Amino acid sequence: MNIQESAEMYLETILILSKQADQIRSIDIVNYTGYTKPSISRAVNLLKKNGYLEMDQKGFITLTKNGEEIAKTIYERHCVLTDLLIKIGVDEKTARHDACKIEHVISNDTFEKLKEYR
């Protein structure tokens, strides 16, 4: 898994949205992230081109197996890191913000050790 941080963020966002609704469109990603429609359109097209998601004729987005695998990995990292940061005394808002940054750069080995420690 070696994709850009922004792609990981979009995949994670689609995973989160798929837990909240049966069908997801680009506008849902716009509303969730606050990014512009053109930015989301470009990102969705790149993710589709690279085989991480599919879009049907009605514009509904689903993750491919590879896209879902990456999204679940990033989401797990986000949840574990947020939890650990809160446990050591970081306020929840800061913990979520920092976890979002750390989740993209932490090594698998370090993350696995943090999971064991938790």
Side-chain angles (χ1 to χ4, degrees), residues 39-86:
S39 294
I40 298 300
S41 179
R42 182 178 181 280
V44 165
N45 285 329
L46 284 171
L47 291 169
K48 189 168 90 173
K49 178 183 171 188
N50 290 314
Y52 297 117
L53 61 81
E54 296 174 344
M55 183 184 293
D56 71 13
Q57 302 248 353
K58 295 181 180 180
F60 293 115
I61 297 168
T62 55
L63 295 171
T64 62
K65 184 179 177 184
N66 287 340
E68 186 174 10
E69 182 180 307
I70 293 167
K72 284 181 175 180
T73 297
I74 297 303
Y75 185 67
E76 178 190 28
R77 287 178 173 206
H78 183 87
C79 292
V80 169
L81 291 166
T82 299
D83 182 55
L84 280 169
L85 292 171
I86 290 170

Side-chain angles (χ1 to χ4, degrees), residues 84-103:
L84 280 169
L85 292 171
I86 290 170
K87 282 183 179 178
I88 63 170
V90 178
D91 71 88
E92 185 175 345
K93 183 179 178 183
T94 302
R96 289 188 190 287
H97 177 76
D98 290 349
C100 192
K101 293 180 181 287
I102 298 167
E103 70 194 26

Side-chain angles (χ1 to χ4, degrees), residues 28-45:
D28 300 314
I29 301 168
V30 168
N31 293 334
Y32 185 86
T33 63
Y35 298 145
T36 64
K37 289 179 186 179
S39 294
I40 298 300
S41 179
R42 182 178 181 280
V44 165
N45 285 329

